[in-house]
Amino acid sequence: MTFSEQKQSNSKEQRRLLVTGGAGFIGSNFVHHWCKQYPGDRVVVLDALTYAGNRQNLSSLAGHQNFHFVQGDICNDALVNALLKEESIDTVAHFAAESHVDRSILGPDAFVRTNVVGTFTLLDAFRQHWERRNQPKSDRFLHVSTDEVYGSLGPDDHPFTETTPYAPNSPYSASKAGSDHLARAYYHTYGMPTIITNCSNNYGSYHFPEKLIPLMCINILMGKPLPVYGDGQNVRDWLYVGDHCSALDVVIHKGKPGETYNIGGNNEVKNIDLVNKLCEVMNELAADLPIRPAQKLITFVKDRAGHDRRYAIDATKIKTELGWTPAETVDGGLRRTIEWYLHNRDWWQPLLSAEYQAYYSQVYTQV
Ligand code: NAD
Ligand code: DAU
């Protein structure tokens, strides 16, 4: 028996998952994780393939007999109802979202639609499906959310815990906060087994080029300016995406319905320090940099509107109650990530499309 088969036979029963947003950054990493760990489970991905969704992220699963991809919108209740029924889904892992703060400043409408209305559509469809099947106790609705709902910390504040009051500051985080409240309400009102996770900043493979780490890696390789917002002193708590996936695995199998779990890497880094670190590793690993050392490209630009100063997660609850801790260090994870971008130019080059360039010139008018 292989390790995966052993793990599968140890888990209570086989699951039938609907993974929304499974063609995006974290969703696709999660789908790879799940198909490897639990090859006997059914995994159905529902993804609208917005600018952030990429079928290529899942191409290696084409021959996996328990994997199925459906292109569609989580706001389409007829489609969602049909999928839940036809696929006898017992577990929803809900990643689908508009996820980028900068885009939410330019156009908040899509964030309210997908993050609030889309989450409501899924929750209510799953409630009806769960009730029709006599409310199985092992069903789960995992709502994947963010630490941004808690707002911004001062330099000496204690990291966010599960009881930190919500104080979202961007249209993105406000829409995620709204969706968290709906997920919570479906547990308290209907007893539906929802669980919410609030995670810090992820990094790793398949991360769309406009987010900080991939953007810096790609700009270094292209010899383009590295735009650091404001004074570069904002702090984020970085978690390797593989660790986020292992945390979500533990939450689905061992988490308690109605609970919230914070997930974080205990890796607080100032943006400017992170960018310098990326430059150092790139100088070492990439032989053909157009500008060397890459630090010469660092350019301070106009700050993001409403830019949260510091995020940090207190992950004590998931550690003590579910036994999860991250496995990757920030140095090891960043090196792996940089190597991935160096070896996967065919993945990211096509994403620097005309739409991407238009977005880029709108955000970085000063660069
Ligand atoms: P992403 O933007 O890379 O992926 C989002 C995916 O959702 C894409 O594949 C997109 O096509 C799909 N999608 C968007 N709108 C849809 C719709 N209406 N119907 C169906 N599919 C739709 O996002 P990500 O970074 O992978 O984040 C995934 C989830 O994790 C989000 O809910 C986000 O809020 C949360 N999260 C992200 C981070 C992070 O650092 N990236 C940290 C904590 C939490
Ligand atoms: O904290 C979790 C959140 O992390 C998730 O909920 C979001 O979906 C995800 O996008 C991420 O949000 P951030 O806004 O923190 O990520 P981003 O990569 O856009 O920016 C990280 C930090 O870097 C932030 O302080 C802004 C800064 N930044 C970002 C970009 C793109 C720059 O200084 N320059 C840039 O060009």
Side-chain angles (χ1 to χ4, degrees), residues 98-102 145-148 172 176 199-202 207 210-213 215-216 226-230 232 234-238 271 275 301 304 307-309 311 359 363-364:
E98 288 292 340
S99 73
H100 195 180
V101 175
D102 290 320
S145 192
T146 169
D147 59 0
E148 299 202 14
Y172 162 66
K176 289 297 289 187
C199 188
S200 61
N201 286 62
N202 283 215
H207 206 178
E210 71 192 18
K211 302 275 179 89
L212 180 73
I213 290 180
L215 184 139
M216 295 296 166
L226 307 180
V228 176
Y229 294 158
N234 302 65
V235 173
R236 296 293 182 265
D237 179 355
W238 292 96
N271 290 343
V275 173
V301 299
R304 171 186 278 174
H307 194 179
D308 286 336
R309 195 66 172 166
Y311 301 144
Y359 161 81
V363 175
Y364 302 102

Short mmCIF file of all heavy atoms in Angstrom, two decimals, residues 98-102 145-148 172 176 199-202 207 210-213 215-216 226-230 232 234-238 271 275 301 304 307-309 311 359 363-364, ligand 2:
data_model
loop_
_atom_site.label_atom_id
_atom_site.label_comp_id
_atom_site.label_asym_id
_atom_site.label_seq_id
_atom_site.Cartn_x
_atom_site.Cartn_y
_atom_site.Cartn_z
N GLU A 98 -12.97 37.25 -6.08
CA GLU A 98 -12.10 38.32 -6.58
C GLU A 98 -11.17 38.59 -5.42
O GLU A 98 -11.63 38.87 -4.30
CB GLU A 98 -12.92 39.56 -6.94
CG GLU A 98 -13.75 39.41 -8.20
CD GLU A 98 -12.93 39.29 -9.47
OE1 GLU A 98 -11.74 39.70 -9.46
OE2 GLU A 98 -13.45 38.78 -10.48
N SER A 99 -9.85 38.51 -5.64
CA SER A 99 -8.94 38.43 -4.50
C SER A 99 -7.90 39.54 -4.40
O SER A 99 -7.12 39.56 -3.46
CB SER A 99 -8.20 37.08 -4.54
OG SER A 99 -7.24 37.08 -5.57
N HIS A 100 -7.88 40.46 -5.38
CA HIS A 100 -6.78 41.43 -5.35
C HIS A 100 -7.22 42.82 -4.90
O HIS A 100 -8.02 43.48 -5.57
CB HIS A 100 -6.10 41.52 -6.73
CG HIS A 100 -4.77 42.20 -6.66
ND1 HIS A 100 -3.95 42.39 -7.74
CD2 HIS A 100 -4.10 42.73 -5.61
CE1 HIS A 100 -2.86 43.02 -7.35
NE2 HIS A 100 -2.93 43.24 -6.07
N VAL A 101 -6.67 43.27 -3.78
CA VAL A 101 -7.01 44.57 -3.18
C VAL A 101 -6.92 45.71 -4.22
O VAL A 101 -7.82 46.54 -4.32
CB VAL A 101 -6.08 44.87 -1.99
CG1 VAL A 101 -6.34 46.26 -1.42
CG2 VAL A 101 -6.23 43.80 -0.91
N ASP A 102 -5.83 45.74 -5.01
CA ASP A 102 -5.66 46.85 -5.96
C ASP A 102 -6.80 46.88 -6.98
O ASP A 102 -7.29 47.95 -7.35
CB ASP A 102 -4.31 46.74 -6.68
CG ASP A 102 -3.15 47.03 -5.72
OD1 ASP A 102 -3.28 47.94 -4.89
OD2 ASP A 102 -2.13 46.32 -5.80
N SER A 145 -11.17 32.17 3.86
CA SER A 145 -11.13 33.63 3.93
C SER A 145 -9.75 34.14 4.33
O SER A 145 -8.77 33.39 4.32
CB SER A 145 -12.23 34.15 4.85
OG SER A 145 -12.38 35.54 4.69
N THR A 146 -9.72 35.41 4.67
CA THR A 146 -8.45 36.13 4.77
C THR A 146 -8.29 36.84 6.11
O THR A 146 -9.29 37.20 6.75
CB THR A 146 -8.40 37.18 3.64
OG1 THR A 146 -7.30 38.05 3.85
CG2 THR A 146 -9.66 38.02 3.57
N ASP A 147 -7.04 37.11 6.48
CA ASP A 147 -6.79 37.90 7.69
C ASP A 147 -7.15 39.37 7.50
O ASP A 147 -7.26 40.12 8.46
CB ASP A 147 -5.32 37.76 8.14
CG ASP A 147 -4.30 38.21 7.10
OD1 ASP A 147 -4.70 38.64 5.99
OD2 ASP A 147 -3.09 38.13 7.39
N GLU A 148 -7.36 39.79 6.22
CA GLU A 148 -7.62 41.22 5.97
C GLU A 148 -8.94 41.69 6.57
O GLU A 148 -9.16 42.89 6.73
CB GLU A 148 -7.61 41.51 4.46
CG GLU A 148 -6.27 41.19 3.83
CD GLU A 148 -6.01 41.90 2.52
OE1 GLU A 148 -6.73 42.86 2.20
OE2 GLU A 148 -5.06 41.51 1.83
N TYR A 172 -12.26 44.88 -1.13
CA TYR A 172 -11.98 43.43 -1.11
C TYR A 172 -12.26 42.85 0.27
O TYR A 172 -13.03 41.90 0.42
CB TYR A 172 -10.53 43.15 -1.53
CG TYR A 172 -10.06 41.76 -1.13
CD1 TYR A 172 -10.62 40.62 -1.69
CD2 TYR A 172 -9.06 41.60 -0.16
CE1 TYR A 172 -10.21 39.34 -1.31
CE2 TYR A 172 -8.64 40.33 0.23
CZ TYR A 172 -9.22 39.20 -0.36
OH TYR A 172 -8.81 37.95 0.03
N LYS A 176 -15.14 40.20 1.62
CA LYS A 176 -14.80 38.92 2.27
C LYS A 176 -15.44 38.87 3.67
O LYS A 176 -15.93 37.83 4.10
CB LYS A 176 -13.28 38.74 2.37
CG LYS A 176 -12.58 38.48 1.06
CD LYS A 176 -12.99 37.18 0.37
CE LYS A 176 -12.50 35.93 1.06
NZ LYS A 176 -12.78 34.71 0.24
N CYS A 199 -6.75 33.28 6.65
CA CYS A 199 -5.32 33.02 6.43
C CYS A 199 -4.56 34.29 6.06
O CYS A 199 -5.13 35.24 5.51
CB CYS A 199 -5.18 31.98 5.31
SG CYS A 199 -3.49 31.41 5.11
N SER A 200 -3.28 34.27 6.35
CA SER A 200 -2.39 35.39 5.99
C SER A 200 -1.93 35.25 4.54
O SER A 200 -2.36 34.35 3.82
CB SER A 200 -1.20 35.41 6.94
OG SER A 200 -0.48 34.21 6.81
N ASN A 201 -1.02 36.14 4.12
CA ASN A 201 -0.55 36.18 2.72
C ASN A 201 0.13 34.87 2.31
O ASN A 201 1.08 34.45 2.96
CB ASN A 201 0.47 37.31 2.53
CG ASN A 201 -0.18 38.66 2.53
OD1 ASN A 201 -0.78 39.07 3.52
ND2 ASN A 201 -0.07 39.37 1.42
N ASN A 202 -0.33 34.31 1.21
CA ASN A 202 0.28 33.09 0.67
C ASN A 202 1.29 33.44 -0.42
O ASN A 202 1.16 34.46 -1.10
CB ASN A 202 -0.79 32.22 0.01
CG ASN A 202 -1.66 31.46 0.98
OD1 ASN A 202 -2.06 30.35 0.70
ND2 ASN A 202 -1.97 32.04 2.13
N HIS A 207 1.07 31.55 -8.74
CA HIS A 207 0.58 32.84 -8.19
C HIS A 207 0.53 33.85 -9.33
O HIS A 207 1.55 34.11 -9.98
CB HIS A 207 1.54 33.30 -7.10
CG HIS A 207 0.93 34.19 -6.07
ND1 HIS A 207 1.63 34.67 -5.00
CD2 HIS A 207 -0.32 34.72 -5.94
CE1 HIS A 207 0.84 35.43 -4.25
NE2 HIS A 207 -0.34 35.47 -4.80
N GLU A 210 0.38 39.63 -10.92
CA GLU A 210 0.21 40.99 -10.41
C GLU A 210 0.36 41.10 -8.89
O GLU A 210 0.41 42.22 -8.36
CB GLU A 210 -1.15 41.57 -10.84
CG GLU A 210 -2.32 40.93 -10.13
CD GLU A 210 -3.66 41.29 -10.76
OE1 GLU A 210 -3.69 41.74 -11.91
OE2 GLU A 210 -4.68 41.10 -10.08
N LYS A 211 0.45 39.98 -8.17
CA LYS A 211 0.62 40.05 -6.70
C LYS A 211 2.10 40.26 -6.38
O LYS A 211 2.98 39.94 -7.19
CB LYS A 211 0.09 38.79 -6.04
CG LYS A 211 -1.39 38.49 -6.32
CD LYS A 211 -2.35 39.20 -5.39
CE LYS A 211 -3.79 38.89 -5.71
NZ LYS A 211 -4.33 37.74 -5.04
N LEU A 212 2.39 40.75 -5.17
CA LEU A 212 3.74 41.26 -4.85
C LEU A 212 4.89 40.32 -5.25
O LEU A 212 5.79 40.73 -6.00
CB LEU A 212 3.84 41.59 -3.36
CG LEU A 212 5.22 42.13 -2.96
CD1 LEU A 212 5.43 43.55 -3.44
CD2 LEU A 212 5.42 42.08 -1.44
N ILE A 213 4.89 39.08 -4.75
CA ILE A 213 6.07 38.22 -4.96
C ILE A 213 6.26 37.85 -6.43
O ILE A 213 7.35 38.05 -6.98
CB ILE A 213 6.04 37.00 -4.00
CG1 ILE A 213 6.31 37.53 -2.57
CG2 ILE A 213 7.07 35.94 -4.40
CD1 ILE A 213 6.32 36.48 -1.48
N LEU A 215 5.13 39.42 -9.02
CA LEU A 215 5.40 40.65 -9.77
C LEU A 215 6.88 41.04 -9.66
O LEU A 215 7.53 41.37 -10.66
CB LEU A 215 4.50 41.78 -9.25
CG LEU A 215 4.61 43.12 -9.99
CD1 LEU A 215 3.23 43.73 -10.17
CD2 LEU A 215 5.50 44.11 -9.29
N MET A 216 7.41 40.97 -8.44
CA MET A 216 8.82 41.35 -8.25
C MET A 216 9.74 40.36 -8.99
O MET A 216 10.70 40.78 -9.65
CB MET A 216 9.16 41.39 -6.76
CG MET A 216 8.41 42.47 -6.00
SD MET A 216 8.85 44.14 -6.58
CE MET A 216 7.55 45.14 -5.85
N LEU A 226 10.94 47.86 -9.74
CA LEU A 226 10.25 47.08 -8.70
C LEU A 226 9.46 48.06 -7.84
O LEU A 226 10.03 48.73 -6.96
CB LEU A 226 11.28 46.33 -7.84
CG LEU A 226 12.28 45.45 -8.62
CD1 LEU A 226 13.25 44.76 -7.67
CD2 LEU A 226 11.56 44.43 -9.49
N PRO A 227 8.15 48.19 -8.10
CA PRO A 227 7.38 49.26 -7.45
C PRO A 227 6.99 48.92 -6.00
O PRO A 227 6.15 48.07 -5.75
CB PRO A 227 6.12 49.34 -8.33
CG PRO A 227 5.97 47.96 -8.91
CD PRO A 227 7.33 47.36 -9.01
N VAL A 228 7.61 49.61 -5.06
CA VAL A 228 7.30 49.40 -3.63
C VAL A 228 6.38 50.54 -3.20
O VAL A 228 6.72 51.72 -3.32
CB VAL A 228 8.59 49.39 -2.78
CG1 VAL A 228 8.27 49.27 -1.30
CG2 VAL A 228 9.50 48.26 -3.24
N TYR A 229 5.20 50.18 -2.67
CA TYR A 229 4.22 51.21 -2.28
C TYR A 229 4.68 51.96 -1.02
O TYR A 229 5.15 51.34 -0.05
CB TYR A 229 2.87 50.57 -1.95
CG TYR A 229 2.14 49.91 -3.10
CD1 TYR A 229 1.17 48.94 -2.85
CD2 TYR A 229 2.38 50.26 -4.43
CE1 TYR A 229 0.47 48.33 -3.88
CE2 TYR A 229 1.69 49.65 -5.46
CZ TYR A 229 0.73 48.68 -5.19
OH TYR A 229 0.04 48.07 -6.20
N GLY A 230 4.48 53.28 -1.03
CA GLY A 230 4.71 54.11 0.16
C GLY A 230 6.15 54.01 0.63
O GLY A 230 7.09 54.11 -0.16
N GLY A 232 7.41 51.34 2.15
CA GLY A 232 7.87 49.94 2.14
C GLY A 232 7.91 49.30 3.52
O GLY A 232 8.41 48.19 3.68
N ASN A 234 5.27 48.48 5.37
CA ASN A 234 4.09 47.65 5.69
C ASN A 234 4.53 46.21 5.91
O ASN A 234 5.46 45.74 5.24
CB ASN A 234 3.08 47.71 4.53
CG ASN A 234 2.65 49.12 4.24
OD1 ASN A 234 3.48 49.94 3.83
ND2 ASN A 234 1.41 49.43 4.47
N VAL A 235 3.84 45.54 6.84
CA VAL A 235 4.25 44.19 7.24
C VAL A 235 3.17 43.19 6.83
O VAL A 235 1.98 43.41 7.05
CB VAL A 235 4.45 44.14 8.77
CG1 VAL A 235 4.72 42.71 9.24
CG2 VAL A 235 5.59 45.06 9.18
N ARG A 236 3.61 42.07 6.26
CA ARG A 236 2.71 40.95 5.95
C ARG A 236 3.29 39.70 6.59
O ARG A 236 4.50 39.57 6.77
CB ARG A 236 2.57 40.76 4.42
CG ARG A 236 1.91 41.97 3.71
CD ARG A 236 0.46 42.11 4.11
NE ARG A 236 -0.27 43.20 3.45
CZ ARG A 236 -0.44 44.43 3.95
NH1 ARG A 236 0.14 44.77 5.10
NH2 ARG A 236 -1.18 45.33 3.32
N ASP A 237 2.41 38.72 6.86
CA ASP A 237 2.80 37.47 7.54
C ASP A 237 2.71 36.37 6.48
O ASP A 237 1.63 35.91 6.14
CB ASP A 237 1.80 37.25 8.69
CG ASP A 237 2.06 35.99 9.48
OD1 ASP A 237 2.96 35.21 9.11
OD2 ASP A 237 1.34 35.77 10.47
N TRP A 238 3.86 35.97 5.93
CA TRP A 238 3.87 35.13 4.72
C TRP A 238 3.80 33.64 5.04
O TRP A 238 4.53 33.13 5.90
CB TRP A 238 5.12 35.43 3.89
CG TRP A 238 5.05 36.82 3.31
CD1 TRP A 238 5.60 37.96 3.83
CD2 TRP A 238 4.34 37.22 2.13
NE1 TRP A 238 5.28 39.04 3.04
CE2 TRP A 238 4.51 38.63 1.99
CE3 TRP A 238 3.57 36.55 1.17
CZ2 TRP A 238 3.96 39.35 0.94
CZ3 TRP A 238 3.01 37.28 0.12
CH2 TRP A 238 3.21 38.66 0.02
N ASN A 271 7.67 44.84 3.72
CA ASN A 271 7.71 44.71 2.26
C ASN A 271 9.09 44.99 1.69
O ASN A 271 9.58 44.25 0.84
CB ASN A 271 6.69 45.66 1.61
CG ASN A 271 5.25 45.23 1.86
OD1 ASN A 271 5.01 44.08 2.24
ND2 ASN A 271 4.32 46.14 1.68
N VAL A 275 11.38 42.46 -0.56
CA VAL A 275 11.83 42.76 -1.93
C VAL A 275 13.36 42.66 -2.01
O VAL A 275 13.90 42.09 -2.97
CB VAL A 275 11.31 44.16 -2.38
CG1 VAL A 275 11.90 44.55 -3.73
CG2 VAL A 275 9.79 44.16 -2.44
N VAL A 301 6.93 54.01 -4.96
CA VAL A 301 5.85 54.63 -5.73
C VAL A 301 4.72 55.05 -4.77
O VAL A 301 4.73 54.70 -3.59
CB VAL A 301 5.30 53.67 -6.82
CG1 VAL A 301 6.38 53.30 -7.80
CG2 VAL A 301 4.66 52.43 -6.20
N ARG A 304 -0.71 52.62 -1.88
CA ARG A 304 -2.06 52.08 -2.14
C ARG A 304 -3.06 52.85 -1.26
O ARG A 304 -2.77 53.11 -0.08
CB ARG A 304 -2.05 50.60 -1.77
CG ARG A 304 -3.38 49.92 -1.76
CD ARG A 304 -3.28 48.50 -1.23
NE ARG A 304 -2.84 47.55 -2.21
CZ ARG A 304 -2.56 46.26 -1.95
NH1 ARG A 304 -2.66 45.80 -0.72
NH2 ARG A 304 -2.17 45.45 -2.90
N HIS A 307 -4.04 51.66 2.54
CA HIS A 307 -3.11 50.54 2.68
C HIS A 307 -2.96 50.10 4.14
O HIS A 307 -2.45 50.85 4.98
CB HIS A 307 -1.74 51.01 2.14
CG HIS A 307 -0.76 49.91 1.89
ND1 HIS A 307 0.49 50.16 1.39
CD2 HIS A 307 -0.84 48.58 2.06
CE1 HIS A 307 1.14 49.03 1.26
NE2 HIS A 307 0.35 48.05 1.66
N ASP A 308 -3.36 48.87 4.45
CA ASP A 308 -3.22 48.36 5.82
C ASP A 308 -1.74 48.25 6.17
O ASP A 308 -0.93 47.76 5.38
CB ASP A 308 -3.88 46.97 5.95
CG ASP A 308 -5.41 47.07 5.96
OD1 ASP A 308 -5.94 48.14 6.32
OD2 ASP A 308 -6.06 46.08 5.59
N ARG A 309 -1.40 48.68 7.40
CA ARG A 309 0.01 48.77 7.77
C ARG A 309 0.61 47.41 8.13
O ARG A 309 1.70 47.08 7.72
CB ARG A 309 0.13 49.73 8.98
CG ARG A 309 1.54 50.19 9.26
CD ARG A 309 2.06 51.07 8.14
NE ARG A 309 3.34 51.68 8.47
CZ ARG A 309 4.13 52.27 7.60
NH1 ARG A 309 3.78 52.36 6.33
NH2 ARG A 309 5.26 52.81 7.97
N TYR A 311 -0.28 43.11 9.04
CA TYR A 311 -1.09 41.91 9.32
C TYR A 311 -0.20 40.91 10.03
O TYR A 311 0.96 40.73 9.66
CB TYR A 311 -1.58 41.22 8.05
CG TYR A 311 -2.42 42.03 7.09
CD1 TYR A 311 -2.29 41.84 5.71
CD2 TYR A 311 -3.35 42.96 7.53
CE1 TYR A 311 -3.06 42.55 4.81
CE2 TYR A 311 -4.12 43.68 6.63
CZ TYR A 311 -3.97 43.46 5.27
OH TYR A 311 -4.74 44.16 4.37
N TYR A 359 -4.02 46.98 -17.00
CA TYR A 359 -4.16 47.02 -15.54
C TYR A 359 -2.91 47.65 -14.94
O TYR A 359 -2.98 48.53 -14.07
CB TYR A 359 -4.38 45.60 -15.00
CG TYR A 359 -4.07 45.48 -13.52
CD1 TYR A 359 -5.00 45.88 -12.57
CD2 TYR A 359 -2.81 45.05 -13.10
CE1 TYR A 359 -4.70 45.84 -11.22
CE2 TYR A 359 -2.51 45.01 -11.75
CZ TYR A 359 -3.44 45.39 -10.81
OH TYR A 359 -3.13 45.36 -9.49
N VAL A 363 -2.46 51.07 -12.46
CA VAL A 363 -2.05 51.06 -11.04
C VAL A 363 -0.73 51.80 -10.85
O VAL A 363 -0.55 52.53 -9.87
CB VAL A 363 -1.91 49.60 -10.52
CG1 VAL A 363 -1.38 49.58 -9.09
CG2 VAL A 363 -3.26 48.91 -10.57
N TYR A 364 0.20 51.61 -11.79
CA TYR A 364 1.56 52.12 -11.59
C TYR A 364 1.82 53.35 -12.45
O TYR A 364 2.78 53.39 -13.21
CB TYR A 364 2.59 51.03 -11.87
CG TYR A 364 2.39 49.82 -11.00
CD1 TYR A 364 1.77 48.68 -11.51
CD2 TYR A 364 2.79 49.80 -9.67
CE1 TYR A 364 1.55 47.56 -10.72
CE2 TYR A 364 2.58 48.69 -8.87
CZ TYR A 364 1.96 47.57 -9.40
OH TYR A 364 1.75 46.47 -8.62
O1 DAU B 2 -3.48 38.89 3.79
C1 DAU B 2 -4.09 38.00 2.88
C2 DAU B 2 -4.29 38.69 1.56
O2 DAU B 2 -3.02 38.73 0.93
C3 DAU B 2 -5.31 37.99 0.67
O3 DAU B 2 -6.56 38.03 1.29
C4 DAU B 2 -5.37 38.64 -0.70
O4 DAU B 2 -6.23 37.90 -1.54
C5 DAU B 2 -3.99 38.67 -1.29
O5 DAU B 2 -4.01 39.38 -2.52
C6 DAU B 2 -3.01 39.35 -0.34
O6 DAU B 2 -3.32 40.75 -0.21
P1 DAU B 2 -2.18 41.88 -0.16
O7 DAU B 2 -2.79 43.16 -0.56
O8 DAU B 2 -1.48 41.83 1.14
O9 DAU B 2 -1.19 41.28 -1.29
P2 DAU B 2 -0.34 41.97 -2.44
O10 DAU B 2 0.52 40.90 -3.03
O11 DAU B 2 -1.19 42.74 -3.39
O12 DAU B 2 0.57 42.99 -1.64
C7 DAU B 2 1.41 42.57 -0.58
C8 DAU B 2 2.04 43.82 0.02
O13 DAU B 2 2.93 44.40 -0.93
C9 DAU B 2 1.05 44.91 0.38
O14 DAU B 2 1.50 45.60 1.55
C10 DAU B 2 1.11 45.85 -0.82
C11 DAU B 2 2.56 45.74 -1.26
N1 DAU B 2 2.79 45.91 -2.72
C12 DAU B 2 2.06 45.16 -3.57
C13 DAU B 2 2.25 45.26 -4.93
C14 DAU B 2 1.43 44.43 -5.89
C15 DAU B 2 3.78 46.78 -3.16
O15 DAU B 2 4.48 47.43 -2.36
N2 DAU B 2 3.97 46.88 -4.51
C16 DAU B 2 3.24 46.17 -5.42
O16 DAU B 2 3.46 46.34 -6.63
#
